[in-house]
Amino acid sequence: MATFKATAETAAKNLESGRTLRELSDLFTPMAIRVAITLRIAQKIEAGRLTSDMLAADTNTDADILERVLRHLVTVGVLTQNESGQFRLTRIGEDMLVENGKAANPPWLDLETVAGRAELAFTRLLDVVRTGEVAYSAQYGTSFWDDLTRDPSSGTDFDVVMAGGMERRIREIAEAYNWGALESVIDVGGGNGTLLAGLLNAHPTLRGTVLDRHSEPALRTFKDAGLSERATALSGSFLEPLPSGAGGYILSRIQSDWNDADVRTILVHCRAAAGLDGKVIIIDEFASEEGVRCDSEDDLRMLVYYGGKERTLEQVSALAADAGLSVESLRTAADWTVMELVPTRH
């Protein structure tokens, strides 16, 4: 988690590097990099398409305009260009490459994905500060989540990104809590089922269900993992009443994506479905208690994309109390926390 010291050190490094306010605030360099990533310029250069004419032909773009964009990337050290007009990648430019031949972090930097489009909503940050509106919805006339629902491929890309962060922590999450004692769980908003599959593999008596926008991705995950007899998936929304009867209701990386009112609604639905004996379990990385967000960039993304926020344990606990839930236990799983909630006893 971030601390004030870490934030101060970052500011000091910026000062020592001589970076100016203009360099910290320009838009043309980030946009030029995003254009290059969207067009897979790095991959094409690696494949021998070295001139602007060749690159323009491969990307169906204007050669003169593309060269002007690429020359800016030369200026900032992402590319080099020799006297013959051939472009090469610098060490920094190589960061646009990954082993599978796709641009690095394409869902966030590729302007043709829903997450990449969401970055452009930051141009409305002043309106957000003044009005509290959700920038993504104002920019595109629809919510981020509705875009995912309308475009299955974007939803798949988003689920893959979310699962990537989960895969590194599944073993610790599985060991941090006695999941088998719950007998059955519903992973509410569980995406493509990566977390649930990991829990089922670690706890052979556990059964589970993923509930998310579309059931097909999770069903494929369970089939590929040989878990179809113990796992299933349902299409639905946690903003509506949930199926009852499971021993536990998991909310993994959910609470920061929504405003306070929606988080209360989600928790109320989980509590109602869990009944008197069920558990509601939040798995997440929480903001630090020193008043500094665990990741200021992610906090602003939550604000601009969804109207959400990075919350502290205390803030989430307060929302849970509003929903009739009390914190039973807190466990550490890698750099995340497993928060066990139970119905408040009066």
Side-chain angles (χ1 to χ4, degrees):
M1 294 214 175
T3 64
F4 179 77
K5 178 181 178 182
T7 303
E9 288 175 351
T10 300
K13 287 179 181 178
N14 284 333
L15 288 173
E16 291 172 3
S17 69
R19 296 184 70 188
T20 65
L21 186 62
R22 177 63 180 268
E23 290 170 327
L24 287 169
S25 61
D26 81 72
L27 293 178
F28 34 86
T29 300
M31 288 306 301
I33 291 171
R34 282 167 166 76
V35 167
I37 286 177
T38 303
L39 295 175
R40 304 298 191 261
I41 293 298
Q43 286 72 25
K44 296 181 188 306
I45 289 175
E46 285 292 288
R49 315 300 285 172
L50 303 181
T51 67
S52 56
D53 286 337
M54 295 171 124
L55 291 167
D58 273 13
T59 57
N60 194 29
T61 57
D62 182 281
D64 176 66
I65 295 174
L66 180 61
E67 175 148 359
R68 291 161 66 185
V69 172
L70 298 183
R71 280 181 176 172
H72 179 67
L73 295 182
V74 172
T75 300
V76 297
V78 175
L79 302 175
T80 63
Q81 187 180 28
N82 63 21
E83 293 180 355
S84 300
Q86 296 178 330
F87 292 97
R88 299 284 185 180
L89 302 174
T90 66
R91 179 184 58 79
I92 296 173
E94 289 174 352
D95 288 342
M96 293 191 290
L97 293 168
V98 291
E99 291 181 0
N100 63 6
K102 295 182 179 179
N105 297 322
W108 305 112
L109 298 177
D110 186 333
L111 295 172
E112 294 179 340
T113 68
V114 66
R117 277 164 30 94
E119 295 277 302
L120 302 184
F122 269 96
T123 60
R124 292 182 176 266
L125 186 57
L126 178 59
D127 294 335
V128 175
V129 172
R130 284 176 168 164
T131 69
E133 69 178 347
V134 180
Y136 189 97
S137 300
Q139 179 87 351
Y140 298 112
T142 186
S143 74
F144 182 92
W145 305 113
D146 285 343
D147 260 0
L148 292 187
T149 300
R150 285 204 303 254
D151 184 356
S153 64
S154 293
T156 299
D157 287 344
F158 182 79
D159 287 342
V160 168
V161 171
M162 298 301 286
M166 187 66 66
E167 288 171 349
R168 301 191 298 271
R169 300 171 174 89
I170 284 179
R171 181 176 63 82
E172 289 86 352
I173 293 171
E175 293 175 353
Y177 187 82
N178 185 12
W179 298 99
L182 299 175
E183 298 185 358
S184 66
V185 296
I186 294 181
D187 190 353
V188 182
N192 64 9
T194 296
L195 172 61
L196 182 56
L199 296 180
L200 296 183
N201 280 324
H203 299 271
T205 63
L206 184 65
R207 304 178 66 86
T209 300
V210 159
L211 184 142
D212 211 315
R213 303 177 308 275
H214 300 291
S215 60
E216 292 83 2
L219 290 173
R220 285 195 296 270
T221 295
F222 301 145
K223 181 179 179 180
D224 292 344
L227 294 168
S228 296
E229 291 186 0
R230 291 195 289 134
T232 189
L234 300 172
S235 298
S237 169
F238 43 49
L239 295 176
E240 299 174 355
L242 300 170
S244 62
Y249 290 77
I250 301 171
L251 294 170
S252 173
R253 304 183 75 184
I254 298 294
Q255 56 83 22
S256 59
D257 295 348
W258 301 86
N259 62 36
D260 286 352
D262 285 335
V263 173
R264 288 191 194 93
T265 297
I266 295 166
L267 290 170
V268 165
H269 289 159
C270 287
R271 189 215 182 285
L276 295 177
D277 299 320
K279 314 279 189 180
V280 178
I281 302 168
I282 296 176
I283 305 171
D284 219 322
E285 180 181 23
F286 297 96
S288 66
E289 305 308 320
E290 292 85 0
V292 179
R293 300 299 180 191
C294 56
D295 187 327
S296 60
E297 290 183 4
D298 276 349
D299 186 47
L300 289 180
R301 282 195 177 97
M302 299 304 102
L303 173 68
V304 168
Y305 293 6
Y306 327 117
K309 66 190 296 185
E310 298 286 348
R311 295 181 174 89
T312 65
L313 281 166
E314 282 72 15
Q315 289 171 326
V316 175
S317 297
L319 291 173
D322 291 344
L325 293 163
S326 301
V327 177
E328 180 78 358
S329 68
L330 296 170
R331 295 173 171 86
T332 299
D335 52 344
W336 289 0
T337 298
V338 178
M339 173 187 278
E340 179 188 30
L341 303 171
V342 297
T344 302
R345 308 293 180 180
H346 296 289

